Amino acid sequence: MSKKVAEIIVEVLEQSGVKRCYGIVGDTLNLIAEHLDKSSIDWVHVRHEEAGAFAAGCEALLTGQLTACAGSCGPGSLHFINGLYEANRNRSPVVLIASSILMSEMGFEFIQEVDFKSVFKECSVCCDMIMTADQARKKTVMACQAAIAKRGVAVLIVPVDVSHAEAHEDYPYRVHSPRPTIRPNDAEIAEIADILNASDKVTIYAGSGCEDALQAIVTTAERLKSPVAHTSRGKSFLEHDNPYNVGMTGILGNEAGYKAVLECDTLLLLGADFAWRQFYPDKAKIVQIDLDPTHLGRRHHVTLGAVGDVKDTLTALLPLLKPKADGTFQETYVRRFQEHKEAWKKQWVPGHNDTIPGSYLTAAISARAAPDALFSADDGTPIFWATRCIDTNGKRRVFGSLLHGTMATALPGALGLKKAEPDRQVIALCGDGGLSMLLGELLTAIQEDIPVKVAVYDNAKLGFVEIEQMSEGMLDTFTRMKNPDFGKVAEAMGLWGKTVSKASDLDAAIDEWLSQPGPALLNVKVNPLELFRPPFIEPKAAVGMALYSMRAILHGRGADVVEIMRENL
């Protein structure tokens, strides 16, 4: 019995393990939507397709399982683009079903015609169109398999007339998901061991590619007497139960992690693709292990690059490593990191005149959140405070746009996380700018009955951008925002909502917010003049801040300069 292409596509999605499909239905998608409705796949009706892609990408990143999006022709599927860039850069297995106009109308600038192949080629590992009905199963399988195997976004373009057509030859193509053991060959393993054994000061710098490799890394660090620094995306996997942890380097990091990386004589780079070259050591040897061969040496020249899964590679390497006797290098930076953490905690206190710094808010949420909570943080100050203040403890995870750097991921990301893990507490740490950008997704939380908890860092401006401008000596330019009372907005939409502006009221407000059975929003008027402190101050930034202060005073805003000093020193 022949089947329509729309039915075949949905069958393959089910066989590939897709549990949810995020999107907005429309004319060219209607038949596929009808078959999705008959399937085991849960349709999640978002208010903006970009949010659907953010949610699908976050779910896929958490579960490792294929997740789907679907959109109508032209602008419908086009709206997914930013979220798909985010998902692809995060190596999230996502498939987009991009329905399109009639095949016979393509190439004539028909209404809503978009060349999806050209649009999506830069943010996908596979982008193809089903040209005939008999191709349907094979091409859908190939798209799903590419997303899973290459860990990225696959786009399947489906002209509406093709979706209605019947396939007469329907061979039983199926998705295969092999999990091979991948490690360097024996000669490479021996060469890596020789370099590490000959080094006196080895630092391990590990990234998100080290998921499930914590114990092997700790054992390696013990044998080499190495401090272990980690990237922001590696925080959730490497911070907890790690006696050799020295935190992060980079602008979000601390002095211990920064110096441990720069002052080693050999850097063991594991599953990390940290982008900024100035944070790598110029004189040390660098040994890089990564599952993706294209990552080897692309951020900084390396002494030896090898392809392998981090856990499997270290398991093969450990028998060849000679235990080092002198632990001074490791102990120095572990101690410094502990000192930094104690200093940070002393700063996580109410601000002047009972104001609420963003750091204090984040630490208070961390202290009261569930032990296995999932956090989704907006780019900017929320993700900075999340990476510094959230205690991940081995059960929690922190998600943010740390590779793409886009606004507005926190709320839709939290929706995807909660859909994937309905029994876990999910908290969105939203900037006021990010929440405003996709405010309609609060309605998605209501319509889909997704009980996420949303905290808004309401400082009435694009705070991180303003800090960047200040460091360049600029007065704030186009950063200010006129916000509504987001607590009342949430109530009007049907959520529990509340606004708090005094630090003395914060603890009780957080307890009340987290105890709500449904979706809830806590709008927090955070201190607009709180700065963050990187592990070092570049001369250019120091001069820029001095220039900003002078300009502010000359423009009659000396009170702002005084308040910045009062809140941050």
Side-chain angles (χ1 to χ4, degrees), residues 3-322:
K3 295 179 180 179
K4 289 190 175 182
V5 167
E7 182 179 2
I8 291 172
I9 290 171
V10 173
E11 276 186 9
V12 174
L13 294 180
E14 283 186 300
Q15 292 166 3
S16 302
V18 171
K19 297 293 189 294
R20 273 161 293 279
C21 183
Y22 297 81
I24 298 177
V25 73
D27 49 2
T28 55
L29 187 64
N30 285 337
L31 185 61
I32 295 173
E34 180 182 0
H35 285 286
L36 282 168
D37 189 44
K38 295 175 182 177
S39 74
S40 62
I41 297 172
D42 180 21
W43 174 263
V44 184
H45 178 189
V46 294
R47 296 306 173 104
H48 193 293
E49 287 93 345
E50 179 184 16
F54 284 146
C58 224
E59 174 181 337
L61 188 59
L62 173 67
T63 65
Q65 302 298 311
L66 185 65
T67 308
C69 300
S72 58
C73 63
S77 290
L78 196 61
H79 276 310
F80 284 106
I81 186 70
N82 192 44
L84 294 182
Y85 262 96
E86 170 77 9
N88 201 52
R89 285 184 163 164
N90 282 334
R91 299 174 64 83
S92 299
V94 171
V95 59
L96 168 66
I97 307 302
S99 64
S100 189
I101 63 170
L102 293 164
M103 285 279 289
S104 60
E105 297 293 353
M106 289 184 181
F108 299 101
E109 296 186 0
F110 194 76
I111 184 171
Q112 294 191 315
E113 180 178 2
V114 173
D115 183 356
F116 285 143
K117 275 197 173 184
S118 296
V119 168
F120 291 120
K121 68 180 181 180
E122 295 298 326
C123 65
S124 63
V125 296
C126 170
C127 184
D128 204 355
M129 180 188 293
I130 301 177
M131 309 290 287
T132 68
D134 289 343
Q135 293 180 339
R137 189 174 300 275
K138 185 176 183 179
K139 285 206 170 181
T140 308
V141 165
M142 292 298 100
C144 293
Q145 187 157 324
I148 295 169
K150 295 183 177 181
R151 295 194 63 82
V153 170
V155 178
L156 188 66
I157 304 163
V158 188
V160 61
D161 49 337
V162 174
S163 71
H164 283 260
E166 293 188 351
H168 302 291
E169 292 183 353
D170 189 17
Y171 297 108
Y173 294 102
R174 296 183 63 87
V175 172
H176 301 280
S177 305
R179 299 288 182 181
T181 297
I182 302 174
R183 70 166 182 83
N185 62 47
D186 290 345
E188 290 172 324
I189 290 287
E191 189 176 356
I192 294 169
D194 288 342
I195 293 172
L196 297 175
N197 287 333
S199 303
D200 295 323
K201 296 185 296 183
V202 178
T203 294
I204 294 172
Y205 187 33
S208 61
C210 295
E211 185 176 359
D212 299 325
L214 176 61
Q215 190 52 57
I217 290 173
V218 169
T219 303
T220 303
E222 167 63 29
R223 191 159 301 178
L224 296 175
K225 297 295 185 284
S226 301
V228 180
H230 60 78
T231 65
S232 53
R233 296 179 75 234
K235 170 184 169 76
S236 300
F237 313 127
L238 301 163
E239 181 181 59
H240 65 281
D241 299 329
N242 182 356
Y244 312 117
N245 177 41
V246 296
M248 296 185 295
T249 183
I251 196 169
L252 301 183
N254 73 94
E255 186 184 0
Y258 170 67
K259 290 288 183 66
V261 170
L262 291 185
E263 296 183 1
C264 66
D265 58 29
T266 297
L267 183 67
L268 181 56
L269 191 61
L270 301 175
D273 191 36
F274 183 68
W276 284 272
R277 189 184 185 284
Q278 65 267 34
F279 293 100
Y280 288 88
D282 282 325
K283 297 181 180 179
K285 293 180 179 179
I286 299 179
V287 175
Q288 184 177 6
I289 309 297
D290 203 289
L291 203 54
D292 187 339
T294 67
H295 288 185
L296 300 178
R298 76 170 179 172
R299 304 304 185 188
H300 191 287
H301 55 274
V302 301
T303 307
L304 191 155
V307 175
D309 173 83
V310 171
K311 183 179 179 180
D312 293 330
T313 300
L314 293 183
T315 299
L317 179 64
L318 275 165
L320 302 181
L321 295 181
K322 298 175 181 178

Side-chain angles (χ1 to χ4, degrees), residues 458-536:
D458 185 358
N459 56 9
K461 63 183 180 181
L462 302 176
F464 200 87
V465 176
E466 187 170 293
I467 291 171
E468 291 173 334
Q469 291 179 349
M470 290 166 64
S471 70
E472 294 178 20
M474 294 172 57
L475 295 177
D476 52 277
T477 305
F478 308 138
T479 60
R480 301 300 175 96
M481 297 189 297
K482 187 175 182 179
N483 289 334
D485 183 328
F486 288 113
K488 291 181 179 179
V489 169
E491 285 186 325
M493 287 182 164
L495 290 81
W496 179 95
K498 187 170 187 172
T499 295
V500 60
S501 58
K502 295 182 179 180
S504 54
D505 298 330
L506 184 62
D507 289 351
I510 291 174
D511 289 338
E512 184 181 7
W513 166 60
L514 292 178
S515 68
Q516 299 305 310
L521 182 147
L522 182 64
N523 184 47
V524 184
K525 299 285 189 175
V526 296
N527 187 334
L529 297 175
E530 182 183 21
L531 304 178
F532 67 88
R533 300 173 188 175
F536 71 100

